[in-house]
Amino acid sequence: MTDYAVTPFQPIVQGVVTFPDGVGPATPVEFNGEGISAISRPVGFPLGAYLLDLDEGLPGNAGAVQPGTSPISNPNVRTMVTVRGSGVPPISLISTTAVLYLLSPTPGVGADQVLIVMQTFPPAFADPAAGFEIIIWVVQ
Amino acid sequence: MPDYAAAPIQPIVEGVVTFPGGPGTQPFFDGKGVSAITRAPGFLFGAYILTLDVGLPGNAGAVPFAPSGPPPLFAPDPDVRTMVTPISTGSPPASFVQSIGVSYIPSALSGVGAPQIEIAITEAVFTLFDPAGGFQIIVWRGLGGGPVA
């Protein structure tokens, strides 16, 4: 029988991303939690895309995630994003969410940044007005 | 530096919401950490209010509402995380869910925090609806850290 107890869920990132000045093109974005040292909007994308820099971390536990065979098929990292809704009821208006792990140019470092992209419908980049929760963890 | 090893995920709510009478009927929660589930007032589909158990400090019950300081435009509730996953029907099991939103409803009592969670689920085009197979929900607290910009 599988010993489920040997696969604990140990996040390297957990927090909430919000927009202190409200949503809109290039407004400030803030991360509140653990495991992230900086957050910004990628150049050229004023809405719906967020670049999170992972903390410098401990090998195999925190910090850069292992890259796998390509940035897309990274086998050792998991990310969960939950959008917070605003209004009554709290509809989020976000219809797609995607994550991408950006490799460091330094060999052996792995992916030290995470890119989150959100869209509304019809597809267009959009900020969720009430922000979103994010959890990142590594499996070995 | 954060001590990651000291921040395990410890759910305060875990369960499944279903609609025994079919979509549009009374929702039913089967799990732990929730004492009541209702539809949000005025909405016949897709919006649910879950009332947390009266709980133990730091483990179950009300979730922290907001950090100290001036209230932001939308309370960030920095210490609570929710995961919602639709359960689908059919083959393949398409959920038809277009968006999921969560919100934390603060108590009117000072210091109590948010004892209720509201969830809004929509299909195309952002129309509230009940996923036929119901949905799974996990709520837990994430503690520590601070703002980064």
Side-chain angles (χ1 to χ4, degrees):
Chain A
M1 178 178 290
T2 303
D3 180 3
Y4 297 97
V6 300
T7 56
F9 192 152
Q10 184 177 335
I12 61 173
V13 171
Q14 59 90 6
V16 178
V17 174
T18 55
F19 306 90
D21 295 343
V23 297
T27 59
V29 56
E30 182 179 274
F31 173 89
N32 195 318
E34 288 185 295
I36 295 296
S37 59
I39 183 170
S40 60
R41 296 180 186 271
V43 175
F45 295 91
L47 286 170
Y50 319 100
L51 190 60
L52 284 69
D53 292 359
L54 297 174
D55 274 351
E56 297 178 18
L58 305 173
N61 187 25
V65 296
Q66 298 175 27
T69 54
S70 76
I72 295 175
S73 62
N74 190 314
N76 295 328
V77 60
R78 309 285 179 266
T79 296
M80 186 204 80
V81 172
T82 297
V83 178
R84 291 185 171 179
S86 55
V88 180
I91 296 174
S92 74
L93 300 180
I94 296 298
S95 58
T96 72
T97 302
V99 301
L100 182 63
Y101 307 101
L102 303 182
L103 286 173
S104 167
T106 305
V109 169
D112 55 0
Q113 292 182 312
V114 179
L115 183 62
I116 308 287
V117 175
M118 295 185 174
Q119 291 186 311
T120 186
F121 186 86
F125 293 112
D127 293 336
F132 60 91
E133 302 167 9
I134 180 169
I135 310 283
I136 301 174
W137 69 101
V138 172
V139 296
Q140 302 288 353
Chain B
M1 179 171 290
D3 179 4
Y4 297 95
I9 286 179
Q10 182 176 349
I12 61 174
V13 169
E14 61 87 8
V16 175
V17 174
T18 55
F19 308 95
T25 62
Q26 172 64 35
F28 179 75
F29 176 88
D30 188 350
K32 293 183 180 181
V34 167
S35 60
I37 181 170
T38 61
R39 291 187 182 275
F43 297 97
L44 301 178
F45 295 91
Y48 322 98
I49 294 177
L50 284 68
T51 301
L52 298 175
D53 276 349
V54 177
L56 303 173
N59 186 24
V63 295
F65 179 57
S68 58
L73 183 60
F74 296 101
D77 293 295
D79 297 333
V80 59
R81 314 280 178 261
T82 296
M83 182 176 75
V84 173
T85 303
I87 299 174
S88 303
T89 58
S91 179
S95 73
F96 301 104
V97 169
Q98 185 179 52
S99 76
I100 297 173
V102 301
S103 181
Y104 307 98
I105 303 174
S107 168
L109 300 176
S110 177
V112 168
Q116 292 182 313
I117 297 173
E118 186 168 4
I119 297 170
I121 297 178
T122 69
E123 62 178 343
V125 176
F126 298 121
T127 302
L128 290 165
F129 94 121
D130 295 335
F135 59 90
Q136 306 166 27
I137 179 170
I138 300 175
V139 182
W140 68 96
R141 293 184 64 173
L143 299 175
V148 173

